[in-house]
Amino acid sequence: MPNALQLEGVSKSFDGYKALSDASFTVKWGEVHALLGENGAGKSSLMNIAAGLYAPESGHLLIDDNPVRLKGPADAARERIGMVHQHFKLVKPFSVAENILLGLPKRAGSHRARLLETERLVAEKAAEIGFAIDPRQTVATLSIAEQQRVEILKVLLAGARILILDEPTAVLTDQEGERLLSTVRKLARQGAAVVLVTHRMSDVKRFADRVTVMRGGRTITTLDPAGIDIAELVKLTVGESPSLPEHTRNEAGPVRLQVRGLRSPERGGRRILSGVDMDLRAGEIYAIAGVGGNGQSELANVLMGLPEPCEGEVQVDGLGDLLSASPAQRRELRIAAIPADRYGLALAGNLSIADNFAIGQVHNGRYGGFWRLREGVVRADTRAAVERFDVQGARSPGQKAALLSGGNAQKLVIAREFSREPNIVLAHSPSRGLDVRAGAAVHQRLLAARDAGAAVLLISEDLDEVLALADRIGVMSGGRIVAEFERPADRQAIGKAMVDHA
């Protein structure tokens, strides 16, 4: 049987930076092939070439052992290659079905008839996979996890036989991820070829037939994951595995942030936020666990000052009503915000690393006025922060932020938000899509902020992350906190609370 997809001797540079150097990768029909590597190892760049988004500077791409030249994503789609990107490519004002219709071949009939047919197809495929998705719901109202499901449905319904999934389970619960990967493996057994770009070693061990490891833009090795344990796999990928420091529950200080009766307007007879009550104390990490789509994103938006209609009270120590606070007031209170969508909400990719870093203190005059920045001070502070927070791939303060890998982009966000020692940290899925090393670095920053006296709110759908970091855990379901647990918390009890109230 011919190979499904081969990339041989591929090289690619961005702004003088060598992202890929003689990299190779092969996936066969009927297999799930995992692709591992640290953030910035070149995995996404290599797969973006396979999906027609980038053109290689050298090397070859073959499909069914035949050389192919892709001039763009449309050519890749005609070759039945579909990629689900880690950072979503959805039109937020459109419905789920409208977004998926954009990626389907044009058929005869009116737009309304084609939309109705797409709604039917979405409902059928969602039910088959086990996704709870309303085809008519607007994407802007969906949680991060739900948007990920839409992207997966979009590729499957477009008829791709070579599926490239970039961190597909990063925003799914364990059960949802297992269901999805079981479906993906079934598709492979039916003849498809699946590339699984992931940092979850357990997913590789359980669902991959082969695994390829990349480092520094090069292919290091390809092997059978059944013949290697997770510790060895981690070491191959990132060297010695960094460990999270052991910590016991802190003695919490005074309440820094208090939420009472937070409700959003009714939509279709239900409220996304239906009465959230929560206290966030100095010197503790309070984590919110729960299945995606239960109001976590909306709560994060409210607390971070993003537009989200709601009623209720959010009181913050030193100010009072947080809901009416300006961005400048939030900065003066030293509230650090790390949103789940780092590229859409935390960084301006087309601006420089220096511009993205400096925006956090432009209001207080450190860098001069809006119309006349003190460029020398900005560059010096940016270089110091890049070094302190280990933002790799940042070759100069003038480099575009979009050229940073996911993990290093997240480090830049944290460097800016922690440029003044924070009193309150609001972090939503801070390690989503990051490799082991980058994720550990984020966790260590959150623990250090807590130990320095900050009140830290962690919203995460990764229960391992919650259990590792939290001093207290609140379970969110149906738009409210339904149960709370003290450290050390019982995983099964938390899971039961998540399910019983779903």
Side-chain angles (χ1 to χ4, degrees), residues 294-317:
N294 278 281
Q296 297 98 315
S297 293
E298 290 75 15
L299 176 61
N301 288 347
V302 170
L303 298 181
M304 292 183 190
L306 297 169
E308 193 71 51
C310 66
E311 58 188 40
E313 293 185 1
V314 180
Q315 298 290 321
V316 63
D317 183 37

Side-chain angles (χ1 to χ4, degrees), residues 193-204:
V194 180
V195 181
L196 180 64
V197 183
T198 182
H199 293 115
R200 292 193 175 184
M201 303 295 173
S202 58
D203 287 351
V204 174

Side-chain angles (χ1 to χ4, degrees), residues 292-360:
N294 278 281
Q296 297 98 315
S297 293
E298 290 75 15
L299 176 61
N301 288 347
V302 170
L303 298 181
M304 292 183 190
L306 297 169
E308 193 71 51
C310 66
E311 58 188 40
E313 293 185 1
V314 180
Q315 298 290 321
V316 63
D317 183 37
L319 173 72
D321 178 26
L322 184 64
L323 297 181
S324 59
S326 67
Q329 286 175 307
R330 288 169 173 269
R331 288 288 176 190
E332 283 307 307
L333 287 166
R334 288 184 283 151
I335 298 176
I338 307 169
D341 185 356
R342 64 185 73 105
Y343 288 107
L345 297 175
L347 294 173
N350 287 328
L351 296 183
S352 69
I353 290 172
D355 287 341
N356 276 281
F357 176 79
I359 196 68

Side-chain angles (χ1 to χ4, degrees), residues 370-387:
F370 276 98
W371 306 113
R372 192 168 183 177
L373 291 178
R374 299 164 61 197
E375 298 286 353
V377 180
V378 170
R379 287 194 298 271
D381 280 5
T382 301
R383 287 193 187 96
V386 162
E387 182 176 352

Side-chain angles (χ1 to χ4, degrees), residues 241-250 285 436-437 439-451 464-465 467-471 487:
S241 177
S243 58
L244 196 65
E246 289 291 327
H247 72 284
T248 56
R249 196 202 188 297
N250 261 11
I285 296 178
V436 176
R437 190 189 303 278
V442 170
H443 292 167
Q444 286 163 354
R445 291 293 177 185
L446 295 179
L447 285 169
R450 180 204 71 163
D451 292 343
D464 289 332
E465 180 173 59
L467 290 168
L469 297 176
D471 297 301
R487 182 182 185 88

Side-chain angles (χ1 to χ4, degrees), residues 107-125:
R107 300 189 300 272
S110 67
H111 174 74
R112 176 166 176 74
R114 287 186 287 117
L115 184 59
L116 288 172
E117 174 65 8
T118 303
E119 288 174 354
R120 183 186 66 80
L121 292 172
V122 171
E124 287 181 356
K125 181 61 72 173

